[in-house]
Amino acid sequence: IQKHTTGVNCDQCEIGWYRPLGVRPDANVPCLPCDCFKLGSSGSCVRDDSQAHLGKPAGTCDCLVGFTGTKCDKCALGFYKFPNCEPCPCDADGSMPSLDCGDTCICKKNVEGEFCNRCKQGYFFLDRDNPDGCTECYCSGVSKTCVEASGYRVQEVNSLNGWLVSDITGTYSAVPSVDTNTHLLSVGYYELPDVENYYWLAPEVYRGNRLTSYGATLTFRVSWVVIRGDTSGKPTSGPDVILVGSNGMKIGYGESFYHQNNMSVTVQLVENGWYEINKDGKSITRSDLLNILTDVKYLMIRAKFHTDQVEGSLESVCLETGVEGTSGTAVGYLEQCSCPPGYKGLSCESCDFGYARILPDSSTPHQQAVCSKCNCNGHAESCDTTTGQCGICEHHTVGLNCERCAFGYYGDAQQETPDDCKRCACPLEDSENNFSPSCEVDKSGKDYICNDCPEGYQGKHCEECTPGYFGNPLEKGSKCKKCDCNEGPCDPLTGQCLSCRGNTEGWRCERCKPVHYGDPKMFDCKPCDCSEIGVVKTDECDAESGQCGCKDKYTGRACDQCQAGLGNITAGCISCNCDPIGSTSSLCNPVSGQCSCHQGVGGSKCQQCLPLHYGFSDTGCKKCECNELGSVTQDCDIDTGQCDCVDHVVGRACDNCQVGWWGL
């Protein structure tokens, strides 16, 4: 066994030893110790020539972080102060690479700071792979201050809905067919017969503001079918992708011949590789691309690849874009500019509220638009740059220049703030308790007056109920309601009636007072007036009918009568016992007990004739009718009716002279 060897056949060196190039495993001294710098290595080295093709011949030491060289006896790039090899203080992203960084950092072109750790003014995104260190702020040419935008994540736009086929100018278009099995889009040469090169025209979901797609990729897959046979046809060339901005600039990517019948292409949306169409292939700048991505008018993907092509298919299109607040891979190429007044957006690409986008000189192509302030008192999102007509007035304003508060609002709309016009609170802003549809500023200019309070409301802000109404308009859900007190007054907050008429009482004068009965709604409540003799309790009766609680034998509402066949309440309602001859009925008066007598009959029981009457019978008693001159008195015999005559007078009624006498 050879010393410091290992393995089944003893053909390998132990860890910490190596076999030099050309030395056989069976040599007398096949392995040598690794000659590594102790502070810079792990103590081991490459044990044979198996890694020579990787630039690591046998004996190459395994270096610790910060060290390099075959024996780990040098500081690695980015480290200094051998033998300790400390990290350079210079930011590796922003400084120029150096074997010995020393005490002075050499910054890249667009980087500054003692340690080259920040971008210069007008630049952003410190990047190690950027030879200049930082990228120039675009900011639509209106600002020089920007930082790297944060919080944006990659999201894919992937849809085959709404695609069309058009010529390279976008003038002519056709609707492609959809394969029911594969769902791929297809177009035949006959659908655009007069168009030499045609393109897939992207739907709206791929267009518009695509600044957050800068630095991302566009990946698509297409295929095509060529006529079989020996023809003179040949592959065609043209841009694989075309972007057209709303500023009129048209750029392309790729210009190749393809001999296969399908391809998958990935294009990075950075300026490298893109060129301006119709400008002799002039390369574009970063600003050119960002100007187009600000508002993409057309995105076109090549559909024609051969002169004898009969059909082209679009299989997939995936556009990466940055979306704020989602999950996924972070987007690092985006700038967040500090925009001047009138501009907004990541790159100040949009006009802020109250500004309109105009081109200073419409005759100059590709010119960046300028945001000009609208004369709309800050209340319209935009305006017509030719007529000056304001768009839809917001913030509750109206007028040609949004100079007045809308109906139902008050304030000075010309202060140019979103809060110029405040809603009339009459007395609350909530619609449930806003009782006046309009209001106006008062003389002080600091408050307002509700000028259309409905019936039942009063006060500067309709905050009180008028007399005859109750409620609390300042309390949500509460309204002024008419007092329900039979025309009487009530408490202005609670609605409790304060003065009830007609012997009524209660919160709404809704009932009669105690020991009263009747209809409180008609103010008609009367005392019970129960008979003290005939009632069980004198202090109560039915509230509606007034019926008192009667003792036995008593009846009537007030218990002031005897039941039928009884009479004389003071005597305790005894039996009538009316005389069957002298009375007209067996019933008597329920109060007094007096029987109902025939004419001329008297007595409580109708048991005798009345004075000056006679002849008691079932038809009554007759009047005496004694002659005043011929009778002693007016009374007569109760049975016969004979009057008491004076001398010489005769007759029952004493109304004749005796025979032989005259002169009565």
Side-chain angles (χ1 to χ4, degrees), residues 67 80 228 255 299 324 352 374 417 432 453 532 601 625:
F67 294 85
Y80 77 129
R228 293 182 180 182
E255 184 80 29
L299 165 61
E324 191 173 14
D352 205 353
C374 297
T417 72
E432 192 174 2
C453 297
E532 295 182 1
V601 178
E625 296 182 344

Side-chain angles (χ1 to χ4, degrees), residues 230-252:
D230 184 14
T231 70
S232 59
K234 58 183 179 179
T236 60
S237 66
D240 294 336
V241 182
I242 295 175
L243 284 176
V244 181
S246 61
N247 62 351
M249 191 174 189
K250 180 185 291 186
I251 61 174

Side-chain angles (χ1 to χ4, degrees), residues 13-144:
C13 294
E14 294 178 342
I15 294 175
W17 295 75
Y18 73 99
R19 186 172 71 245
L21 178 65
V23 176
R24 293 178 55 82
D26 58 355
N28 292 331
V29 184
C31 297
L32 299 177
C34 296
D35 185 17
C36 302
F37 179 57
K38 292 183 179 180
L39 294 179
S41 71
S42 64
S44 65
C45 62
V46 177
R47 291 184 285 175
D48 52 35
D49 288 330
S50 61
Q51 298 184 46
H53 66 287
L54 299 176
K56 293 182 178 182
T60 300
C61 296
D62 179 26
C63 298
L64 300 176
V65 175
F67 294 85
T68 189
T70 304
K71 298 183 178 181
C72 304
D73 54 357
K74 299 177 183 179
C75 287
L77 194 66
F79 294 81
Y80 77 129
K81 291 186 179 181
F82 186 83
N84 296 321
C85 291
E86 300 173 1
C88 289
C90 305
D91 190 304
D93 294 340
S95 60
M96 300 294 290
S98 173
L99 293 177
D100 183 10
C101 50
D103 296 324
T104 303
C105 300
I106 302 175
C107 299
K108 293 180 180 179
K109 178 181 177 182
N110 299 331
V111 182
E112 64 182 7
E114 181 181 357
F115 303 113
C116 305
N117 58 349
R118 68 173 182 268
C119 295
K120 290 181 179 179
Q121 174 68 24
Y123 297 84
F124 80 108
F125 190 44
L126 188 62
D127 182 13
R128 183 175 301 185
D129 296 332
N130 188 339
D132 294 330
C134 296
T135 303
E136 185 177 7
C137 295
Y138 161 63
C139 299
S140 301
V142 298
S143 175
K144 289 294 183 182

Side-chain angles (χ1 to χ4, degrees), residues 304-327:
K304 180 77 177 289
F305 296 89
H306 198 280
T307 57
D308 291 339
Q309 179 175 322
V310 294
E311 184 179 80
S313 297
L314 180 64
E315 300 181 15
S316 64
V317 183
C318 179
L319 173 65
E320 293 181 339
T321 189
V323 177
E324 191 173 14
T326 59
S327 59

Side-chain angles (χ1 to χ4, degrees), residues 554-635:
Y554 289 85
T555 188
R557 185 203 63 76
C559 302
D560 55 355
Q561 299 177 25
C562 294
Q563 293 179 358
L566 303 176
N568 197 342
I569 62 172
T570 58
C573 288
I574 58 178
S575 180
C576 290
N577 290 328
C578 295
D579 189 292
I581 297 175
S583 62
T584 61
S585 171
S586 61
L587 301 178
C588 60
N589 185 285
V591 177
S592 64
Q594 175 66 49
C595 296
S596 178
C597 302
H598 287 300
Q599 187 175 359
V601 178
S604 61
K605 310 297 182 183
C606 301
Q607 75 279 13
Q608 60 189 16
C609 287
L610 289 172
L612 304 182
H613 287 75
Y614 72 99
F616 182 73
S617 69
D618 58 5
T619 60
C621 294
K622 302 175 183 177
K623 289 182 179 181
C624 291
E625 296 182 344
C626 296
N627 187 288
E628 292 181 3
L629 297 177
S631 61
V632 177
T633 65
Q634 293 298 305
D635 202 2

Side-chain angles (χ1 to χ4, degrees), residues 373-578:
K373 188 174 183 180
C374 297
N375 182 26
C376 301
N377 292 293
H379 301 306
E381 184 174 8
S382 189
C383 58
D384 189 292
T385 56
T386 302
T387 65
Q389 175 67 47
C390 297
I392 298 175
C393 292
E394 299 186 22
H395 309 146
H396 316 298
T397 60
V398 294
L400 291 175
N401 302 107
C402 309
E403 73 279 5
R404 304 189 313 276
C405 292
F407 187 75
Y409 292 81
Y410 75 98
D412 184 359
Q414 300 182 36
Q415 295 300 309
E416 300 190 1
T417 72
D419 299 323
D420 285 351
C421 295
K422 300 177 180 61
R423 189 175 182 187
C424 298
C426 299
L428 302 181
E429 287 189 9
D430 190 281
S431 59
E432 192 174 2
N433 281 68
N434 203 341
F435 303 111
S436 174
S438 62
C439 65
E440 58 186 18
V441 178
D442 65 6
K443 293 181 179 179
S444 69
K446 299 179 181 179
D447 201 0
Y448 61 97
I449 299 174
C450 299
N451 52 18
D452 196 10
C453 297
E455 181 182 354
Y457 296 82
Q458 66 180 8
K460 197 172 184 179
H461 299 152
C462 308
E463 74 277 13
E464 298 175 353
C465 296
T466 57
Y469 289 80
F470 74 97
N472 184 8
L474 292 170
E475 180 181 316
K476 186 178 179 181
S478 178
K479 301 179 180 180
C480 289
K481 301 176 183 177
K482 198 166 187 178
C483 293
D484 187 12
C485 299
N486 294 323
E487 306 300 330
C490 68
D491 185 283
L493 289 179
T494 67
Q496 182 176 4
C497 297
L498 301 177
S499 177
C500 295
R501 298 185 297 158
N503 295 319
T504 59
E505 66 173 11
W507 194 275
R508 298 277 183 267
C509 299
E510 72 277 10
R511 64 178 182 270
C512 292
K513 288 181 178 180
V515 200
H516 287 75
Y517 75 97
D519 185 358
K521 295 181 179 179
M522 301 301 293
F523 320 115
D524 186 21
C525 288
K526 298 177 285 291
C528 291
D529 285 340
C530 298
S531 170
E532 295 182 1
I533 298 174
V535 295
V536 178
K537 293 182 179 180
T538 60
D539 59 350
E540 67 179 31
C541 68
D542 185 275
E544 293 183 5
S545 66
Q547 178 63 54
C548 301
C550 300
K551 295 178 181 178
D552 188 30
K553 299 182 181 181
Y554 289 85
T555 188
R557 185 203 63 76
C559 302
D560 55 355
Q561 299 177 25
C562 294
Q563 293 179 358
L566 303 176
N568 197 342
I569 62 172
T570 58
C573 288
I574 58 178
S575 180
C576 290
N577 290 328
C578 295

Side-chain angles (χ1 to χ4, degrees), residues 188-207:
Y189 72 95
Y190 54 84
E191 295 186 59
L192 292 169
D194 299 324
V195 178
E196 182 177 354
N197 288 320
Y198 44 86
Y199 285 78
W200 297 105
L201 185 63
E204 186 177 358
V205 68
Y206 289 88
R207 307 196 307 265

